[in-house]
Amino acid sequence: MSVLVFTDSLNKEITKSSFEAVVYGAKVASDIGTSCIAVSYGDVTESSLSALGKYGALKVLHDTSIASGDIQNLHLLVKQACEKESSKVVVFGLDFTGKSVAPMAAAALKAGYISGAIDYPSSYQPITVKKNVFSGKAFANVQINTPVGVVAVLPNSVKITTTDASASIELFKATLPGSKIKTLETKLKGGEGVTLTEAEIVVSAGRGMKGPENWGDVEELAILLGAATACSRPVADIGWRPHHEHVGQTGVAIRPNLYIAIGISGAIQHLAGVNGSKIIVVINKDPEAPFFKAADYGIVGDAFDVLPKLVEAVRKLKAA
Amino acid sequence: MFVPFLTRLLPNFATSKIRHMKYLVCISKAPDTTTKITFTDNNTKFAESGVQFIVNPYDEWYALVRAIELKEKNGGTVTTITVGGAENDPIIRKALAIGADNAVRIDAPATDAYFVASQISKYATENGFDVVLTGKETIDYNGSQMGGMIATLAEYPFVSLATKLEFEGSKAIIEKDVQGGVEIVEVNTPFVLSAAKGMAEQRIPNMRGIMQARTKPLTVVAATDCDNLTEVVDYELPAAKGDVKLVDPNNPEELIELLRNEAKAI
Ligand SMILES: Cc1cc2nc3c(=O)[nH]c(=O)nc-3n(C[C@H](O)[C@H](O)[C@H](O)COP(=O)(O)OP(=O)(O)OC[C@H]3O[C@@H](n4cnc5c(N)ncnc54)[C@H](O)[C@@H]3O)c2cc1C
Ligand SMILES: Nc1ncnc2c1ncn2[C@@H]1O[C@H](COP(=O)(O)O)[C@@H](O)[C@H]1O
């Protein structure tokens, strides 16, 4: 028996959502009295692979024959690893890769699948997990009725803890069919900036900013805080900001530690994508803006006055 | 000399360039985005009464509209498929009004993703569809699971989170979101894709579309046997937020102080 965790890499390093998945898998493994095994693929540094031990993996099965980023057959890699290790639970991080591979692996294994888990299982007979539903407006406790279960964990749902253990690396070669999807071009955004869905802090702004030329302080604040930037939907729709920054019910759903919303009214569709944030700060000149009802801290004021002062205050803090 | 050359070339050109694709678009209903979510029966059921249902935005704005655009450009047919009871018919008619040619409803409650995916994959393979499109996720269950499951069960390749779709003959060129950026891929039909923002723009059905939708075929098919692999035990609402703590706009240092020492967030 075991718990299997799928891990992905970017630029040869294991990703943050994979670390979270391993922490999750290790807890599940200890709950059911077994060990946590990671499976990975592609060009990944050896140090990054053995570091999976710090997060709780005993060993990592690594398939070097699959190119990094070639995700089309990874469900078969996972299935074969799951069968080899007689895994009871298979864990994914629900990032872009997980959204593609986890449901395919579940179907290939004919295993019940819970996507968007926000907490550890509340029971193991049957496996029952709390997940986000209605775009963060509610939660559902879902149970798995099959012997093997697949769980995909929403980013920022588990607290990362580490030890100084290291994982052993075992080469593993899955038997895979030929490629049907050919990659013509990959455009990675590069190392600069923090990935929105994985960010601990997000600085977000809306139509209250009046125009794209006014985003300087928003970006400055984000850089100072090591945060990602986001925006409301109309701002992405009119082209003030790129589409991938659009958060909400029809954009990206995020659950950072801290969400700072500037000049955003707090429409229900916007809240749906951000109300999983632990702390919400709202800056809006209208004291009646609905966002204040969902906020922990607020400033009623003009963003064009408040923001420069806030940037200055953070700069001072970081310099101290 | 020139003319025979052209006539020799043209038939080939015609068959390789103009392929009449059969598109199958998976459509599900979702509560209107402004719905206040509540539950009944000891928190085991979503309280549907009084809720306005819409076509799940990703299915409508992106998957359906792009399929219709491609059909208008290259020829072909657009069929929608929905697993669920007759309460889905109004949103299916909406999809027909937007421009789908016909619709199929598989008459069984959609309570488990694997069950729904197996119904759709069976229908897609038995009826020879070239492209199966789903939305990236439903805004109620937020599963992001259907596309991958349908593809795996049908043994078709799966292109997730597609933001652009074009055809060159039977070869699709797709732009998609991947971890850390975007990717352009090439895949031959048949395949499954899940549609994300960017594929198309929302289309408001016109009066003619609405009239035509009434008479377009909506075929109801019985479901085939399949297990449910998961079930919802119950639902919960998030704990209510306490009152907001307001900070003087002239003193943002106080906010920093609170975030640092009280909330421990920076
Ligand atoms: C089906 C559907 C899906 C949707 N999905 C989403 C979604 O996913 N995400 C999303 O964000 N929206 C979504 N929306 C749109 C949503 O309903 C709102 O229209 C949108 O969130 C409003 O954006 P906003 O707050 O930036 O702009 P506005 O509503 O225009 O609000 C601007 C705010 O800025 C404040 N302000 C103005 N000037 C200043 C200033 N100088 N200083 C400080 N504050 C100022 C104003 O008081 C106001 O509160 C959706 C809508 C529909 C119908
Ligand atoms: N009951 C259903 N009938 C038809 N298609 C569905 C159904 N449920 C979900 N889908 C499709 O699958 C996509 C992803 O749904 P989900 O995996 O539930 O997030 C949706 O955007 C729809 O295109």
Side-chain angles (χ1 to χ4, degrees), chain A residues 6-20 22 38-41 43-52 55 60 62 198:
Chain A
F6 170 81
T7 61
D8 194 23
S9 66
L10 196 61
N11 304 322
K12 302 192 185 188
E13 301 293 333
I14 299 290
T15 58
K16 183 184 166 213
S17 54
S18 302
F19 289 144
E20 293 177 346
V22 172
V39 57
S40 94
Y41 73 101
D43 190 4
V44 189
T45 63
E46 218 174 288
S47 57
S48 193
L49 287 175
S50 55
L52 288 170
Y55 301 90
V60 42
H62 186 61
E198 295 186 353

Side-chain angles (χ1 to χ4, degrees), chain A residues 173-191:
Chain A
K173 193 163 181 331
T175 313
L176 304 178
S179 294
K180 285 181 176 169
I181 302 174
K182 197 166 116 197
T183 303
L184 303 178
E185 200 185 332
T186 307
K187 294 183 259 186
L188 294 183
K189 271 177 257 134

